[in-house]
Amino acid sequence: MADSTTVSNYPNLEKYMKLPQKGKIMAEYVWIDGTNGVRSKSKTLFKPVSSPDELPEWNFDGSSTGQAPGDNSDVYIRPVAIFPDPFRLEPNIIVLCETWDPDGSPNKFNYRHDAARLMEANKQHELWFGLEQEYTLLGIDDRPYGWPKNGFPGAQGPYYCGVGAGRVFCRDIVEAHYKACMYADVKIAGTNAEVMPAQWEYQVGPCEGIELGDHLWMSRFLLARVAEEFGAKVSFAPKPIPGDWNGAGLHTNVSSAEMRKDGGMKHIEAAMKKLEGRHVDHIAVYGEGNADRLTGKHETGSMDKFTWGVADRGASVRIPRQCAREGKGYFEDRRPASNADPYQITGIIVETIYGGLPDEKTDK
């Protein structure tokens, strides 16, 4: 694809990947670090497992991931979800984990814990989420793939859902990621080229409750691993290129049992009032660098003001026209940046619409 410092020699690797494992299983433990990225390391298992509860807790050096000081560096990882491994294939697995401190409390970057409690407390509302993950593919030089080295491509227009050379770049990475997600049972719903060249989107969901955050984070891990083999970088920056270019978001579609029933529009409209009242709180957890994206231009609303409307991609929240016509359905929160944490997004939406949680007693 391009000059790369990454060496991935599959023909040499393949003969080793075919070697028998003699009943043992490779488990790749994955967690979210202190920089909103993913980390992983491998553990050998000696028998198959069917539930995260059967897997051992593990630990890592949190001082090397921005999650703990050097004089108290142990951080523990507790398995919460299992996915088939599309790289090592069956019977190997990928294990998504939460991070915990030695005193028995969630690590400060463990946003899943509270989100899961919120989902459980409000499970009677049967909350469905679907997230649209936008991202940009970069070369080792941090330049978007396909862009001239000393200039810019033609203006936006032909790239969105584009087909053909000069309109799309790195489709091989996109296709490989799509298949990897399917193999891993990640609920990927689709993918498309985006408005800016070298920018893509895929959708995860619908998922109920905490499952959405789990599947979105696993899809990010798989994307990073696939791109690694092609010598490409994945950027989730909300405004990777300054100027007259679209940014990257994580549009969040939300629906509850009440919203999906006949007359559900009144519940959607009630949610709009609650979201408006906590606009600043939501923006605070909707991703870093979002101010460069939420300018009121390039299909975004203004960061300073909450707005909503039917079929309005320049609003903070969009009500799809079909939902307005049928009087029920879902809404799309267009404010989250592409680098936002899905646990924080879905958690604060549930909290705003249905209320927070009582204090938790943690074993120490």
Side-chain angles (χ1 to χ4, degrees), residues 84-158:
D85 190 334
F87 307 108
R88 294 165 171 162
L89 305 182
E90 294 180 342
N92 304 301
I93 57 175
I94 302 177
V95 182
L96 185 66
C97 302
E98 285 191 9
T99 53
W100 288 75
D101 289 336
D103 65 359
S105 61
N107 185 263
K108 64 180 179 180
F109 298 103
N110 179 358
Y111 302 121
R112 185 187 188 277
H113 178 67
D114 280 347
R117 293 177 63 229
L118 281 163
M119 300 304 171
E120 179 64 23
N122 292 285
K123 62 183 179 182
Q124 71 272 22
H125 298 291
E126 298 175 22
L127 284 150
W128 294 358
F129 300 97
L131 268 63
E132 305 167 23
Q133 178 69 74
E134 295 178 338
Y135 63 96
T136 308
L137 290 169
L138 310 176
I140 298 301
D141 60 357
D142 291 327
R143 187 80 171 159
Y145 262 113
W147 286 42
K149 290 186 179 291
N150 298 308
F152 295 90
Q156 296 181 155

Side-chain angles (χ1 to χ4, degrees), residues 167-181:
R167 294 186 173 222
V168 294
F169 306 95
C170 301
R171 192 186 292 274
D172 44 3
I173 293 177
V174 175
E175 294 290 313
H177 175 245
Y178 202 163
K179 292 293 287 285
C181 285

Side-chain angles (χ1 to χ4, degrees), residues 8-78:
S8 181
N9 192 325
Y10 185 76
N12 282 349
L13 174 65
E14 186 177 20
K15 61 185 178 183
Y16 299 103
M17 297 301 287
K18 291 179 178 179
L19 292 175
Q21 296 179 198
K22 299 184 178 182
K24 294 184 280 292
I25 295 167
M26 302 163 77
E28 192 73 11
Y29 277 46
V30 175
W31 69 95
I32 297 110
D33 68 13
T35 65
N36 200 40
V38 285
R39 306 281 181 128
S40 74
K41 62 178 183 173
S42 303
K43 174 181 280 292
T44 300
L45 306 179
F46 296 93
K47 63 179 180 179
V49 295
S50 58
S51 167
D53 296 335
E54 300 175 50
L55 288 161
E57 184 179 275
W58 207 3
N59 63 76
F60 65 91
D61 172 16
S63 69
S64 297
T65 64
Q67 291 169 280
D71 61 355
N72 189 19
S73 63
D74 284 356
V75 177
Y76 295 86
I77 40 181
R78 298 180 182 175

